[in-house]
Amino acid sequence: MKIATTTEDFGRFCKNDIERIRELYAAGFRYVDLSMYSLTPDCDYMKDDWKDSVKALKREADSLGMKFVQAHSQGGNALKDDPAHVEFLIDATVRSIEICSELGIENTVVHSGYAKDMPKDEWFEKNREFYKKLFPVMEALGVNVLIENSTAANMKDKYFVNSGKDMTEFLRFVGHPRLHACWDTGHANCQGSQYGEIMTLGKELYAIHYNDNRGQKDEHLIPFFGTLNHDEVINALIDVDFDGYFTLEASSSLRSSRYWLGNRMPFEKDTRLAEPQMFMQRRLETLLYETAKYILDSYGLFEE
């Protein structure tokens, strides 16, 4: 199994994705998950000449001997009662699929929408309508869109695909040959045991987001920084015949001073230690790669 990680690892430390993949390369990574989770209307990828930026990124990756193997598309809520929000979400998601095609990426994660107190059958219907808007570009460019399990720790009563059973049920309900599943180990660690959930997904499992936490919050930590049972997950991936990349998503091991799970306690008199620094992330990134390699080597799964 080949190791990949997300460009979001250096999201706050670098100005662009070219700089980010250089940092990933220095840490040992050769396979990349491109994060397009936070596109804005004025970012390079949403401009008329977006292909120029993508071609420059690909040239840099090629020169380093790196390969883009996975992506995460725009974040947002497709069921939000805000037409402007939903319109940009769809436009940015379509663009992210186009970027995947330019980079040779076969699979990108697209989160489902959510709403408070929405019945399950209505949730299924409305999210099917959202994904149907992506079908034309998925089909034309040959890119798979992957739904992702969430967790009640994040969504409370606003989300239904927290389990392998619900994910499989929704995929069958939609019934499109390019809609499949990504399993997030951190989200699942907040829910409970994972072996049976992964086995339930079966052949629908096209990708993973491998990260750790302490079982209470979606912290996106480096493996072994939390309570994730690594033997359980690896055995499940073996037994389900998973043949994708071992894609890490541990980009919040260092927290900024303002973070959605909780801000750093303020001290207005002095803020020189408020933010983590690049040297810290570089050391952690090397540890992240070495830890992932150890996990795979322990089961004879590591591939260059």
Side-chain angles (χ1 to χ4, degrees):
M1 201 177 299
K2 296 179 174 68
I3 300 171
T5 194
T6 172
T7 53
E8 184 57 28
D9 290 354
F10 286 93
R12 81 190 76 164
F13 298 103
C14 298
K15 293 181 294 185
N16 55 54
D17 286 327
I18 288 178
E19 291 185 1
R20 292 177 187 117
I21 66 170
R22 288 172 180 166
E23 294 293 342
L24 298 185
Y25 179 88
F29 292 97
R30 299 296 179 264
Y31 302 97
V32 184
D33 178 349
L34 179 63
S35 176
M36 296 175 279
Y37 190 82
S38 302
L39 302 184
T40 60
D42 60 349
C43 73
D44 288 344
Y45 292 150
M46 295 303 293
K47 293 178 180 178
D48 291 340
D49 61 351
W50 64 272
K51 285 189 178 181
D52 293 339
S53 298
V54 176
K55 288 176 180 177
L57 179 60
K58 189 175 188 309
R59 283 195 300 270
E60 183 67 20
D62 290 344
S63 72
L64 294 169
M66 302 182 81
K67 181 180 179 181
F68 288 96
V69 298
Q70 196 169 311
H72 200 312
S73 292
Q74 181 72 13
N77 179 8
L79 305 188
K80 189 173 183 177
D81 187 18
D82 181 345
H85 172 90
V86 175
E87 181 181 5
F88 179 74
L89 172 61
I90 293 170
D91 289 346
T93 304
V94 168
R95 177 56 49 81
S96 70
I97 294 170
E98 293 171 334
I99 291 171
C100 285
S101 178
E102 292 289 320
L103 294 174
I105 298 172
E106 295 181 359
N107 300 308
T108 185
V109 173
V110 177
H111 286 175
S112 309
Y114 52 91
K116 185 174 176 58
D117 298 327
M118 180 176 287
K120 183 175 181 178
D121 57 351
E122 184 180 357
W123 187 96
F124 271 40
E125 288 282 357
K126 290 194 171 184
N127 273 288
R128 178 171 62 178
E129 291 306 306
F130 164 59
Y131 286 110
K132 282 172 69 174
K133 293 179 173 64
L134 308 178
F135 290 171
V137 68
M138 292 161 57
E139 294 164 359
L141 299 180
V143 176
N144 298 317
V145 162
L146 312 183
I147 65 170
E148 180 179 2
N149 60 306
S150 188
T151 169
N154 290 350
M155 307 305 295
K156 305 298 186 286
D157 57 353
K158 298 177 183 177
Y159 211 83
F160 284 101
V161 290
N162 296 342
S163 68
K165 177 179 179 295
D166 283 341
M167 294 174 80
T168 302
E169 184 180 347
F170 179 69
L171 291 172
R172 289 173 179 168
F173 175 77
V174 178
H176 193 279
R178 288 204 172 276
L179 190 68
H180 301 286
C182 172
W183 186 255
D184 187 298
T185 63
H187 295 168
N189 194 49
C190 295
Q191 294 291 114
S193 179
Q194 303 195 40
Y195 182 89
E197 305 292 348
I198 292 171
M199 296 305 298
T200 297
L201 284 174
K203 293 181 179 180
E204 292 292 353
L205 183 62
Y206 272 51
I208 62 170
H209 285 163
Y210 201 94
N211 60 95
D212 208 338
N213 58 50
R214 296 172 180 86
Q216 303 298 317
K217 296 181 179 181
D218 180 26
E219 298 174 281
H220 286 269
L221 302 177
I222 290 175
F224 294 98
F225 280 33
T227 60
L228 179 68
N229 190 310
H230 304 284
D231 290 301
E232 178 186 25
V233 175
I234 297 301
N235 272 273
L237 295 178
I238 292 170
D239 292 348
V240 83
D241 294 323
F242 177 68
D243 61 358
Y245 290 84
F246 190 76
T247 303
L248 298 151
E249 198 182 53
S251 52
S252 296
S253 297
L254 288 176
R255 287 194 186 179
S256 59
S257 61
R258 299 188 63 80
Y259 187 68
W260 72 281
L261 285 177
N263 298 333
R264 204 177 311 285
M265 290 294 291
F267 182 65
E268 295 180 1
K269 181 180 178 181
D270 204 326
T271 60
R272 73 187 76 183
L273 298 179
E275 302 298 340
Q277 300 299 305
M278 173 70 95
F279 81 89
M280 303 174 190
Q281 184 61 39
R282 284 173 172 161
R283 295 291 291 271
L284 279 177
E285 200 70 16
T286 300
L287 177 62
L288 177 63
Y289 178 81
E290 292 173 349
T291 301
K293 187 175 183 297
Y294 166 74
I295 291 171
L296 296 182
D297 271 338
S298 298
Y299 280 86
L301 296 175
F302 175 73
E303 298 176 60
E304 294 283 357

